[in-house]
Amino acid sequence: MAASDTVTKFLLDESEIPTHWYNVVPDLPHPPAPVLHPGTGQPIGPADLAPLFPMALIGQEVSQDKTIQIPDEVRDVYRLWRPTPLFRARRLERALDTPAHIYYKYEGVSPAGSHKPNTAVAQAYYNKADGVRRLTTETGAGQWGSALAFACALFGLECTVYMVNASYHQKPYRRSMIELYGAEVFPSPSTRTQSGQKVLADVPDSPGSLGIAISEAVEDAATHDDAHYSLGSVLNHVLLHQTVIGQEALKQMERAGEYPDVVIGCVGGGSNFAGLAFPFVGEKLRQGKTTRILAVEPEACPSLTKGTYAYDFGDTVGLTPLVKMHTLGHGFVPPAIHAGGLRYHGAAPLLSQLVDDGIVSAMAYPQNGVFEAAIQFARTEGIVPAPESSHAIRATIDEALAARQAGERRVILFNLSGHGHFDMGAYDAYLAGSLQDYAYPSAAIQKALTELPPVAVPA
Ligand SMILES: Cc1ncc(COP(=O)(O)O)c(C=O)c1O
């Protein structure tokens, strides 16, 4: 057997950590829709965002530059786990008896166990440089909360995390990890903020949602001068920071001597998906590549496949600016599926635009099929995947089976955005046969969509 027939990991040297983040905006067929002030309905300016974010990040949010240099201090921290490996899933391919070649980029090797530190470290760095003392944030699965807690520990910042109530109880050890890194963590909705109190008054046993936790974290930062807010997904600068993933993957696929026919990622807010996919989207737009790019979400929270493309709030209570995105309505509280990081009512504006333009396709799966795929992956490749990432695995397996059916050698690349070592409660439930598939929550979504804010789109 030739060595090239058995290579399983494609590794890069530390010196090959990207020096720049890739900005997809200049490559888009048309400019992104402006972000609007919720009070005036007019496009917001940097001053509107200054109470929440440092100027450097506000600049990145609206940047038209093709690339943005990664500060040395951030690259230096990236060295702790980057470049991440690209694997060829040879054992999964054999189990599926498919002619497809399956590759995955594994972001679970980061200290917090997912892609989230790629932006957490950058955000902590810029906030520290701006003289901020404390960062506030939300977390769904606990991956983002632990990533930001880790980054704050490295840069000497305090950190307050509002953790979605359902996950707070499903994943007690994510909570412990956040505290171990020195941050404080509260179940959301909490009584610490007016936003939380308002939700609790209506629904005392609310499971919480990312939208509610964002309201709490934004309110906390906006009411304290020495605090800023940090978001783990959705915003342009967050997606930008994640593009180290796709840039490395482009190089690694080249080393493997292949180019993907299909690129797949799961979507909560869209950051890991964008991180892997945007550099490939760029090549599709600039070089006319025919790569199919697939975004995968849960059927219980199907913002890209069933949502409306409209202006909406990023949070539940309505504290954030209005962004144009695929949304299920900011008041929609998704069922308590185990992929807590995917329980968000909207999707990143840049990703939403690409879906609306037909450059990226979207699909949705119920959770039992997702866990079935996760277990097949664990039993062949060995890694226990995060439930969020397992949505991408489900889609990958289905692509590989379709390739078998068609007798086609399809090259598939997906993002394994994190490990599932803190998700054993979910795996126990699946193995015991007690995991519930929620029907598409059509009535709740229809109701939430009637409450979209009225917006007169500026000319
Ligand atoms: C492992 C993992 N993958 C994916 C996601 C979804 O977030 P995003 O769409 O921003 O990548 C999360 C969110 O918490 C996560 O923890």
Side-chain angles (χ1 to χ4, degrees):
M1 215 177 334
S4 60
D5 292 339
T6 55
V7 176
T8 298
K9 286 194 301 306
F10 296 88
L11 302 173
L12 300 175
D13 189 75
E14 258 181 41
S15 63
E16 295 175 280
I17 294 172
T19 54
H20 291 71
W21 292 302
Y22 162 71
N23 185 10
V24 77
V25 171
D27 285 329
L28 295 176
H30 55 94
V35 175
L36 305 181
H37 191 284
T40 64
Q42 291 304 306
I44 55 164
D48 296 309
L49 294 173
L52 295 180
F53 302 110
M55 252 335 142
L57 292 178
I58 296 172
Q60 291 176 6
E61 195 58 25
V62 294
S63 173
Q64 297 291 329
D65 297 341
K66 285 180 189 298
T67 59
I68 291 170
Q69 189 165 6
I70 305 175
D72 286 346
E73 293 86 341
V74 173
R75 272 187 97 233
D76 198 43
V77 179
Y78 281 173
R79 269 182 244 281
L80 287 170
W81 73 94
R82 303 211 72 84
T84 61
L86 177 85
F87 286 85
R88 169 95 182 265
R90 294 182 184 276
R91 287 165 182 79
L92 178 63
E93 286 170 18
R94 280 202 289 275
L96 297 171
D97 190 22
T98 177
H101 289 188
I102 302 175
Y103 292 86
Y104 58 96
K105 181 76 168 150
Y106 185 39
E107 289 295 306
V109 295
S110 80
S114 77
H115 63 296
K116 297 286 182 182
N118 296 331
T119 183
V121 168
Q123 293 192 45
Y125 164 77
Y126 288 117
N127 275 288
K128 182 69 180 181
D130 217 33
V132 170
R133 189 180 64 80
R134 179 171 70 100
L135 287 181
T136 70
T137 197
E138 73 294 329
T139 193
Q143 288 270 21
W144 167 243
S146 40
L148 192 68
F150 151 69
C152 284
L154 260 52
F155 287 98
L157 289 164
E158 291 179 25
C159 182
T160 304
V161 181
Y162 294 88
M163 184 167 182
V164 172
N165 195 20
S167 300
Y168 188 88
H169 296 289
Q170 281 168 352
K171 301 186 189 183
Y173 293 122
R174 273 283 165 201
R175 258 198 264 157
S176 314
M177 193 178 184
I178 291 167
E179 287 174 339
L180 173 159
Y181 281 130
E184 51 177 5
V185 53
F186 303 99
S188 166
S190 78
T191 52
R192 289 170 50 88
T193 64
Q194 287 185 7
S195 303
Q197 289 163 16
K198 194 168 152 195
V199 176
L200 287 172
D202 291 341
V203 189
D205 61 347
S206 169
S209 70
L210 277 165
I212 296 169
I214 293 172
S215 298
E216 293 208 87
V218 167
E219 182 186 323
D220 184 343
T223 52
H224 293 92
D225 284 346
D226 58 351
H228 266 173
Y229 167 64
S230 171
L231 184 60
S233 190
V234 180
L235 295 176
N236 298 357
H237 69 265
V238 180
L239 274 51
L240 175 86
H241 299 155
Q242 293 294 352
T243 59
V244 287
I245 303 173
Q247 293 185 72
E248 288 177 5
L250 271 169
K251 248 189 209 166
Q252 288 162 308
M253 289 300 302
E254 202 180 312
R255 303 261 161 104
E258 307 218 69
Y259 195 88
D261 299 304
V262 195
V263 173
I264 299 175
C266 70
V267 172
S271 75
N272 88 88
F273 174 84
L276 177 69
F278 278 10
F280 290 91
V281 167
E283 297 213 330
K284 187 169 169 164
L285 294 170
R286 289 191 312 271
Q287 301 170 14
K289 299 259 196 217
T290 54
T291 326
R292 274 190 300 126
I293 303 185
L294 263 183
V296 192
E297 60 184 10
E299 209 171 75
C301 189
S303 51
L304 291 173
T305 50
K306 295 271 177 50
T308 299
Y309 186 41
Y311 273 98
D312 198 4
F313 293 106
D315 70 320
T316 299
V317 173
L319 303 179
T320 69
L322 297 169
V323 292
K324 192 166 183 196
M325 62 178 175
H326 281 89
T327 178
L328 299 166
H330 59 278
F332 173 63
V333 177
I337 52 168
H338 280 278
L342 307 189
R343 292 181 63 239
Y344 183 59
H345 65 272
L350 287 176
L351 169 58
S352 294
Q353 178 174 333
L354 285 163
V355 170
D356 196 58
D357 286 346
I359 296 162
V360 169
S361 321
M363 59 197 303
Y365 283 111
Q367 65 176 350
N368 268 298
V370 166
F371 275 86
E372 183 195 355
I375 290 207
Q376 184 168 27
F377 184 81
R379 288 181 185 171
T380 49
E381 293 296 310
I383 296 170
V384 178
E388 290 81 3
S389 325
S390 304
H391 287 70
I393 300 177
R394 174 76 270 163
T396 297
I397 289 178
D398 287 356
E399 274 290 331
L401 293 176
R404 182 175 76 185
Q405 189 88 32
E408 242 177 64
R409 208 205 71 172
R410 218 172 269 182
V411 179
I412 307 168
L413 167 65
F414 78 90
N415 201 15
L416 185 55
S417 53
H419 67 64
H421 297 172
F422 293 87
D423 298 277
M424 289 306 158
Y427 280 104
D428 279 350
Y430 175 77
L431 292 171
S434 61
L435 204 67
Q436 190 186 344
D437 269 343
Y438 294 94
Y440 164 59
S442 145
I445 292 172
Q446 286 318 314
K447 178 173 178 299
L449 285 176
T450 61
E451 291 156 11
L452 287 184
V455 170
V457 180

